[in-house]
Amino acid sequence: MIRMAMADSGNILAIRGKKLDRLTDLPINIIHQIQDRISVQAAAKMSVLSRAWRYIWSSNPRLIFATGFCTMKLPSKTIDIITAILLQHHGSVKTFSVDISPIHSSQHPVVDRWILFLSRNGLMDLSVLNEKSGNTPYKLPSYVYNVELEHLVLSNCIFRPPCSFRGFHKLRKLLLTQVSFELDVATSSLWMPSLETLQFIRCSGLRFLNIYAPKLLYLHLIGCGIDALNLGPFMVCSKLKMFGLVEQEVSLNRQDKTMKPTDIILSWPNLNRLILGKCFVKDSVSFLQIH
């Protein structure tokens, strides 16, 4: 007969005199999901809850170093901690997000080494934030463009791909804030067949950029000034559901082909939301929503 008794804590079962820790027996993917909802420091401290958990934190495929984590310590300490975590990590890193705002530009080569390590370990989702006012833009290292990313989020970075770069073929979401494009003829036309969401906020160097994304659903351009993106390649994106063009300093007439709101609607039959800055609408309507 099996003897079973519930301990006072409700967490321990005694079966034939042996203790079974319910927490220890949680599937590793569940433990990783718990760690995803807490800070990096708290995830590391979870190791003391169970002997079997001692190294589980170091196999979490999602590493998120949020602004709070990166700004609460001296920059040198932050660099040391993130480097140590990457060196101790085993298994793939699918998601990596870091705020490099506190890190001086002289230490950007360290960030390059982080990304090099990640590029060899199954990286799919990359976020590099550099939002502190006055910071030197971070130039993405060349090996980023060889990674089969699915999500890419950048702020205050320089996007200068090698001549061989033709686009991220698996990328589904691209969110860019204050990113400077430095392109030549070979890299001005990018093929992104899986892209669904594309957003530019206060970006520069877009004038000669051509992105071909037949599956695009959401396109936003905010505050990009005179470097307005050439909309021509997007006019064939028949699946587009939302288009926003706000705070531009130029009119649609500056495009290679003159465009009117009616032309946009006809080109995108599935569009259900259109947001235009007032300088694009003759009657000064600043917001137009189509149902």
Side-chain angles (χ1 to χ4, degrees):
M1 180 178 180
I2 298 177
R3 296 175 57 197
M4 183 179 295
M6 183 69 73
D8 292 339
S9 65
N11 291 324
I12 305 296
L13 288 176
I15 301 178
R16 285 184 175 175
K18 296 182 179 180
K19 291 184 178 180
L20 175 64
D21 186 342
R22 287 180 171 179
L23 291 177
T24 300
D25 277 5
L26 284 174
I28 190 169
N29 64 309
I30 299 298
I31 299 173
H32 284 159
Q33 289 180 30
I34 294 172
Q35 292 177 336
D36 290 343
R37 289 163 172 77
I38 58 180
S39 66
V40 174
Q41 303 98 310
K45 291 177 181 178
M46 283 179 63
S47 59
V48 303
L49 298 178
S50 170
R51 183 176 299 175
W53 285 17
R54 184 169 297 173
Y55 301 107
I56 284 182
W57 70 272
S58 64
S59 64
N60 192 329
R62 289 171 48 88
L63 296 178
I64 310 296
F65 301 99
T67 301
F69 172 84
C70 296
T71 58
M72 66 184 300
K73 299 177 178 64
L74 292 173
S76 58
K77 188 68 173 178
T78 298
I79 291 173
D80 291 343
I81 292 174
I82 296 177
T83 300
I85 289 174
L86 290 175
L87 289 176
Q88 295 178 50
H89 194 277
H90 55 89
S92 61
V93 180
K94 302 292 186 183
T95 299
F96 183 79
S97 178
V98 63
D99 182 358
I100 65 170
S101 299
I103 299 175
H104 191 268
S105 58
S106 62
Q107 295 297 315
H108 282 179
V110 177
V111 182
D112 293 347
R113 290 194 288 273
W114 296 343
I115 295 178
L116 177 60
F117 170 83
L118 296 164
S119 69
R120 299 169 176 172
N121 285 272
L123 185 65
M124 299 168 63
D125 186 342
L126 174 64
S127 297
V128 180
L129 309 179
N130 185 23
E131 298 177 339
K132 186 178 179 181
S133 178
N135 269 17
T136 300
Y138 171 67
K139 181 182 177 182
L140 292 174
S142 59
Y143 29 85
V144 167
Y145 303 99
N146 295 324
V147 182
E148 294 185 341
L149 295 172
E150 293 185 2
H151 297 85
L152 178 60
V153 180
L154 303 173
S155 69
N156 195 19
C157 293
I158 296 175
F159 192 97
R160 187 177 184 179
C163 294
S164 59
F165 182 67
R166 294 295 178 268
F168 294 107
H169 292 176
K170 293 186 178 182
L171 197 68
R172 291 190 289 118
K173 180 179 288 187
L174 179 60
L175 307 179
L176 306 176
T177 301
Q178 203 174 334
V179 171
S180 176
F181 283 80
E182 298 182 358
L183 307 172
D184 55 28
V185 175
T187 57
S188 60
S189 296
L190 304 180
W191 173 246
M192 299 190 184
S194 301
L195 192 64
E196 297 177 349
T197 301
L198 176 59
Q199 176 175 283
F200 296 99
I201 299 177
R202 301 189 306 279
C203 293
S204 61
L206 303 179
R207 190 161 184 77
F208 301 104
L209 175 64
N210 297 302
I211 295 180
Y212 298 90
K215 293 185 179 180
L216 195 66
L217 300 176
Y218 307 97
L219 174 61
H220 305 263
L221 289 94
I222 302 172
C224 294
I226 60 174
D227 287 317
L229 182 68
N230 177 20
L231 296 178
F234 297 107
M235 302 312 291
V236 297
C237 298
S238 58
K239 297 182 179 180
L240 199 72
K241 294 182 178 181
M242 182 175 182
F243 174 62
L245 192 58
V246 181
E247 296 179 4
Q248 299 280 41
E249 297 176 5
V250 296
S251 68
L252 289 175
N253 292 332
R254 289 289 299 275
Q255 296 292 331
D256 293 336
K257 179 181 178 181
T258 300
M259 299 179 190
K260 300 177 182 178
T262 52
D263 297 329
I264 293 175
I265 295 170
L266 291 174
S267 298
W268 298 322
N270 293 309
L271 196 72
N272 56 47
R273 193 175 186 191
L274 174 62
I275 303 174
L276 297 177
K278 61 183 179 181
C279 60
F280 295 108
V281 185
K282 291 182 179 180
D283 60 359
S284 298
V285 176
S286 62
F287 179 85
L288 175 61
Q289 185 171 3
I290 301 172
H291 294 283

